[in-house]
C-alpha cells in the first residue's frame, strides 16, 4: 500500500524520479513561466500571482488533453470552483488567466501531471471516465522589506478535490513557506494555535521539484506566509499545484442544465 493511500500524505522528489534527455531545459522553461504570472485579481494585496489551466486524463492511456479556454475581452481564462471548501470564496466561481500554450506544451509539465495521476486511486465507477486535472501556477512574491505573501486559504484546509499535489519550481530569497499536514478535524485552524501532537508533520520544500501529495478526505494541509529574505532583490516561492477529480455520469437531479431555466445556458 502506498504512503498516500495509507496516511493521506506522501513526499516525493521528482527531480530524482523523472529523468529524460532535456529535462533540465524543460525545468528552466517552467521556471521562466513564473516570471510573468499576473497578480491574483481576487486578492491583489496578498502578493500572490497565478495562472491556471484545466485538462483531462484519459483512462488506460493516461493521455493528457487540455480543455479549451474561456475568452473574455480577448484574454484567455479558465474557470475554477471549490464549492464550500475555500471559506474565502464559498460558492464562488473564480476565473484565472490561462497558462500559455507554450507552457501547456512543456514535456516536463505533462510528465509531472502523469506522475501525479498514477499515484491516485479511485472507485471503479469513477475511473471509467476521464479524470479532470486542475493545474495551478502560484507564486508567492515579495518585493520589498515588510511585504507578506499569503496562500489561499490561509489556514489548515481541505480543497474539495480528492487529490492535490504540490511541486516546488523555485524558491529564492524568502523566509517562511512552511508546510503542515494534520487531521481533517483541525480544518480551519492556524498552525501556531495547535499543539505539537496535533500536527502530523511540518516541512519546507526547498529544492526544485521537491513535492508532496494529499488525499483530501484523510488530511488537512497548509502552507505558511512568506516574507522577503536578507539578500538584495525580490523573493518568491513558485509552485505548481495539481488537483484531480472524477468526471462521472451525474445523477439527473444534480445536473444544473436539467433545471429547465434556459436563460443563462450556452450553445456548444
Amino acid at each position: 500500500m502506498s504512503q498516500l493511500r495509507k496516511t493521506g500524505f506522501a513526499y516525493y522528489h521528482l527531480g530524482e524520479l523523472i529523468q529524460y534527455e532535456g529535462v533540465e531545459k524543460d525545468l528552466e522553461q517552467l521556471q521562466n513561466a513564473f516570471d510573468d504570472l499576473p497578480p491574483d485579481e481576487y486578492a491583489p494585496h496578498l502578493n500572490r500571482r497565478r495562472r491556471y489551466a484545466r485538462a483531462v486524463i484519459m483512462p488506460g492511456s493516461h493521455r493528457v488533453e487540455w480543455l479549451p479556454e474561456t475568452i473574455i475581452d480577448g484574454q484567455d481564462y479558465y474557470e475554477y470552483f471549490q464549492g464550500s471548501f475555500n471559506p474565502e470564496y464559498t460558492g464562488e466561481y473564480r476565473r484565472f488567466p490561462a497558462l500559455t500554450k507554450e507552457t501547456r506544451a512543456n514535456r516536463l509539465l505533462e510528465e509531472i501531471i502523469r506522475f501525479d495521476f498514477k499515484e491516485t486511486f479511485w472507485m471503479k465507477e469513477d475511473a471509467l471516465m476521464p479524470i479532470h486535472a486542475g493545474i495551478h501556477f502560484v507564486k508567492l512574491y515579495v518585493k520589498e522589506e515588510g511585504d507578506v505573501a499569503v496562500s489561499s486559504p490561509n489556514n489548515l484546509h481541505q480543497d474539495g478535490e480528492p487529490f492535490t499535489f504540490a511541486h516546488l519550481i523555485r524558491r529564492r530569497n524568502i523566509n517562511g513557506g512552511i508546510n503542515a499536514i494534520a487531521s481533517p478535524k483541525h480544518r480551519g485552524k492556524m498552525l501556531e494555535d495547535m499543539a505539537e501532537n496535533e500536527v502530523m508533520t511540518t516541512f519546507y520544500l526547498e529544492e526544485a521539484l521537491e513535492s508532496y501529495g494529499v488525499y483530501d478526505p484523510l488530511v488537512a494541509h497548509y502552507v505558511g506566509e512568506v516574507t522577503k529574505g536578507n539578500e538584495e532583490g525580490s523573493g518568491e516561492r513558485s509552485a505548481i499545484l495539481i488537483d484531480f477529480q472524477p468526471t462521472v455520469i451525474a445523477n439527473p437531479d444534480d445536473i444544473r442544465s436539467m433545471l429547465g431555466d434556459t436563460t443563462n445556458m450556452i450553445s456548444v
Side-chain angles (χ1 to χ4, degrees):
M1 181 182 294
S2 72
Q3 190 65 28
L4 184 61
R5 189 186 291 237
K6 182 178 179 180
T7 67
F9 164 76
Y11 167 86
Y12 314 93
H13 198 321
L14 267 58
E16 300 169 355
L17 298 173
I18 297 178
Q19 297 286 329
Y20 61 86
E21 186 175 352
V23 66
E24 296 87 357
K25 181 180 178 181
D26 288 345
L27 174 60
E28 183 179 359
Q29 288 179 345
L30 290 182
Q31 291 171 331
N32 292 342
F34 281 86
D35 291 339
D36 70 343
L37 293 192
D40 185 342
E41 64 181 72
Y42 296 92
H45 60 294
L46 295 182
N47 297 313
R48 189 168 63 234
R49 301 178 176 229
R50 66 194 307 164
R51 288 187 182 272
Y52 177 61
R54 299 162 68 108
V56 291
I57 318 300
M58 297 302 174
S61 69
H62 298 167
R63 188 173 79 251
V64 178
E65 294 283 350
W66 295 97
L67 296 175
E69 316 93 304
T70 298
I71 301 176
I72 302 173
D73 297 330
Q75 300 296 317
D76 294 343
Y77 293 90
Y78 282 95
E79 304 283 342
Y80 182 57
F81 182 67
Q82 284 183 284
S84 64
F85 277 82
N86 189 329
E88 296 173 4
Y89 306 101
T90 301
E92 180 180 348
Y93 275 89
R94 289 178 285 167
R95 65 170 185 249
F96 299 122
L99 294 181
T100 66
K101 289 180 172 61
E102 178 185 16
T103 299
R104 281 178 268 164
N106 183 283
R107 178 182 171 183
L108 178 56
L109 177 58
E110 189 167 310
E111 295 286 349
I112 291 171
I113 295 169
R114 250 196 301 272
F115 175 92
D116 291 352
F117 179 66
K118 291 177 181 179
E119 290 294 299
T120 66
F121 36 91
W122 307 88
M123 296 298 292
K124 182 178 179 179
E125 57 270 24
D126 290 340
L128 293 173
M129 301 283 283
I131 298 295
H132 179 277
I135 296 89
H136 310 249
F137 278 40
V138 180
K139 177 164 71 172
L140 301 180
Y141 178 71
V142 282
K143 184 177 181 181
E144 308 289 347
E145 195 74 29
D147 284 352
V148 179
V150 179
S151 189
S152 175
N154 186 29
N155 52 37
L156 278 155
H157 63 277
Q158 294 166 285
D159 290 324
E161 298 96 4
F163 298 93
T164 298
F165 296 82
H167 306 280
L168 186 73
I169 299 300
R170 187 165 57 196
R171 177 189 172 108
R172 61 179 178 85
N173 195 26
I174 60 168
N175 298 312
I178 191 171
N179 294 97
I181 308 293
S183 165
K185 68 183 180 181
H186 299 299
R187 174 180 163 185
K189 294 182 180 179
M190 296 298 293
L191 181 60
E192 57 266 28
D193 296 330
M194 298 174 61
E196 185 175 341
N197 62 4
E198 293 178 318
V199 182
M200 289 172 55
T201 186
T202 60
F203 58 96
Y204 291 89
L205 301 180
E206 298 183 313
E207 297 181 5
L209 298 181
E210 274 195 284
S211 310
Y212 71 91
V214 295
Y215 175 49
D216 205 61
L218 294 187
V219 297
H221 60 281
Y222 167 75
V223 58
E225 64 184 30
V226 161
T227 57
K228 187 176 174 303
N230 298 324
E231 300 174 11
E232 292 293 323
S234 61
E236 67 176 285
R237 181 190 184 276
S238 293
I240 298 173
L241 309 179
I242 302 176
D243 56 63
F244 295 94
Q245 57 183 315
T247 53
V248 299
I249 299 174
N251 182 334
D253 293 332
D254 297 329
I255 300 175
R256 295 175 64 196
S257 295
M258 292 282 284
L259 297 180
D261 181 0
T262 63
T263 307
N264 294 317
M265 298 174 74
I266 64 171
S267 300
V268 296

